[in-house]
Amino acid sequence: MILCGVGGQGILSIATIIGEAATKAGLHLKQAEVHGMSQRGGDVQSNLRLSTDEIYSDLISKGGADVIISMEPMESLRYLPYLGKDGWIVTSSKPFVNIPNYPDEAALQAELKALPRVSQLDIDAIAKEVANPKAANMVLLGMAAPYIEIVSVEQLREAIRTVFARKGDAIVESNLKAFDAGVAHK
Amino acid sequence: MEKILLLGDEAIALGAIHAGLSGVYAYPGTPSTEITEFIQNNATAKERKIHSRWCTNEKTAMEAALGMSYAGKRALVCMKHVGMNVCADAFVNSAVTGVNGGLVVLAADDPSMHSSQNEQDSRFYGKFALIPILEPSNQQEAYDMMKVAFELSEKLQEPVLLRVVTRLAHSRAAVEVGAQGDENAFNPSTGRGWVLLPGIAKKQYAALLEKQPLMLEAAENSPYNRNEKSGTKLGVVACGIGYNYVKEAIANFKIDGINLLKISQYPLPENKILDLAAECEEILVVEDGQPVVETDVKTIVGDKATVIGRLTGQLPRTGELDPDSVSKALGYETQSPLGIAKNLAGRPPQLCQGCGHRDVYTALKEVAAEYEGARIFGDIGCYTLGALPPFQALASCVDMGASITMAKGAADAGLFPSIAVIGDSTFTHSGMTGLLDAINDNSNITVIISDNLTTAMTGGQDSAGTNKFEAICLGLGVSPDHVKVVTPTPPNIPEIKRIIKEEIEYNGVSVIIPRRECMQTLMRHRKQAKKQ
């Protein structure tokens, strides 16, 4: 799968939780991240691969992704060449505009809606409603959970508990609430 | 054995600690930074007081590591590929002196220039210095190879170069880790080989050449250079992570008939390559970086086989390899069933909101606009983003410290006003010596040291000169009347503009130091304070 967004939107936390769930499930994992200069408000992505067999390449090949999980609608389209023919795009519907030439939003929406398998939601609004704005990435993970077939929804919930445990019960609970709201969107 | 998820960089760091490391010496640089950071935060490393403080630049790092090796301990030097240029003098000569305690030099190359100004291949440096090179193909090998590298270094009494690329450095996988090894005993060298006077250097160089067959033998017998064969239709030499893409393509497209030679240790095992040439008419070389091996394989096999790769167009001449380009070179094209999106725009990185560099550029651009022919020479750091919109302020960005020296040279040629913008960490890395040149020549330049109290671009590491910049400038001989400190905030822009203008008008070297903490470290410090 490809996780993407704009630097600072929290895609690496999503990767950490999926990674925790996959490791606990005894799966092979490879996760290529972007560090360095691009993290300053530029486009960022992470290639995350899970398998019951040994994984060789750190990078996903064209048409090789089962799901694109994106914190931003235009960013989800950037990686379209990597999505498999039955693959899903799971994305926040709210544009993050920090460039002067951001595409026309209606055209962007039309292009997204013309694709066969897209799940979109205003994750910021949902996170604000059920938990707190910082948990928007957990809403997104919840939306994506049904399409990450190799780990179960319950395994992801368990991973959220583990990863946020050191931040206290309240944080764990609010992240789980956000995650469940995402799952319910299906 | 325990399995843990590690970035390639973290695997290297833990491998080094477990191999009995006594000190890591490094200057931050993407994609190598996380190695030293891991060691700084590791419990065993703290307990053992393993040296891990950041160095001023790659040359001081390399020399300090050589000193630790002289004293008998195991030392690691880490840098990004262009850091090899900075430490090249010490690096190449460390092969002539040889080492005492194991010395491993880690170079992290950046093909595709994700965060760099070129994609030079550090394996050239290893060949140039006549030392062994290890090039792991995955995170497990990165971990395992640290021990191998230290042992090889001590066996041959030579430094060993470990070369990785961005995709391995910044990719995570489960690594099986071993036991914690002991550090070497303190055991300073008593040899004369460290004194590279011509008479001794000639002997040392001859000794280095005599070791070459041993290095070759080690590579011929290395478990990391191995043959995997399903036929003889095509020979493939796959180096480092290039091996993964070949294996991926073989599995994806069920390719048969490949005679695959995996290479992860250099010098190139000539016999293994000749064996391949004896069986296959054509050999594809798959290597991430420049065509170093492709050229050498051509020389080794002569007319026994046709060698193809980046130089012959089967693989792209530039940029990092990926599963698509390697599949294609093997004759199988990957597809994008859903095509390419239309509604896309590039999203380049930009200076953070509230960043002090922004205020510096706002003031600087407005003042520079008043002078026809003004040029602002840039340097390497977050503030290089001042070259992009909305500022588009920079005339150059070449290498660490070049802002000051290029401004000086341009001023010598008559350019006015000639302005340099350099960050605090870059200034101590390589800007101070250039400033001394400018002072000794009384060059008419204005130097802005944009001080955000950290090495920001690589994630906020300590900066060597923090709290010392006025003293450094005065000590080098800048006139006390022309060292000015300002606070870059929007309300202060009129005052900053006035000062910049005054200093441009001064015929000589002036230094203006806009000082305000990096937004990223400020937020981190606030978060930490809140916790306590």
Side-chain angles (χ1 to χ4, degrees), chain A residues 30-31 33 35 37 40 42-43 49 56-58 61-63 72 74-75 78 81 85 96 98 101 107 111, chain B residues 5 34 139 170-172 244-245 247-248 323-324 335-339 341-343 345-347 349-350 456:
Chain A
K30 275 206 171 180
Q31 186 204 333
E33 301 172 3
H35 293 208
M37 201 186 222
R40 307 270 175 271
D43 60 275
R49 307 189 69 198
Y56 292 106
S57 171
D58 298 271
S61 56
K62 281 185 183 149
E72 209 277 342
M74 180 184 76
E75 292 305 324
R78 196 183 297 283
K85 77 174 166 34
F96 183 89
N98 65 343
N101 55 337
E111 186 168 12
Chain B
L5 270 188
E34 292 83 354
Q139 293 77 356
H170 287 168
S171 179
R172 218 174 278 280
N244 303 341
Y245 302 132
K247 291 290 280 185
E248 185 84 17
D324 306 309
Q335 305 291 336
S336 298
L338 296 168
K342 286 182 220 55
N343 291 284
R347 202 189 295 261
Q350 44 190 259

Side-chain angles (χ1 to χ4, degrees), chain B residues 16-23 48-50 65-76 99-104 146-147 149-155 157 180-189:
Chain B
I17 294 167
H18 285 174
L21 182 77
S22 294
R48 289 188 172 184
K49 297 192 168 64
I50 292 175
L66 187 61
M68 182 166 265
S69 162
Y70 178 94
K73 302 272 190 172
R74 288 186 169 181
L76 172 65
V99 307
N100 182 20
L103 176 60
V104 178
M146 283 312 302
K147 195 166 173 222
F150 278 118
E151 284 169 359
L152 187 63
S153 170
E154 285 173 1
K155 187 179 159 212
Q157 292 285 286
Q180 175 64 55
D182 292 332
E183 288 180 69
N184 283 0
F186 175 70
N187 179 26
S189 172

Side-chain angles (χ1 to χ4, degrees), chain A residues 79-114:
Chain A
Y79 307 97
L80 193 60
Y82 293 92
L83 193 60
K85 77 174 166 34
D86 300 320
W88 276 85
I89 287 182
V90 178
T91 182
S92 162
S93 59
K94 204 170 122 196
F96 183 89
V97 182
N98 65 343
I99 45 172
N101 55 337
Y102 194 91
D104 178 67
E105 280 184 42
L108 177 67
Q109 273 304 321
E111 186 168 12
L112 267 172
K113 283 176 181 154

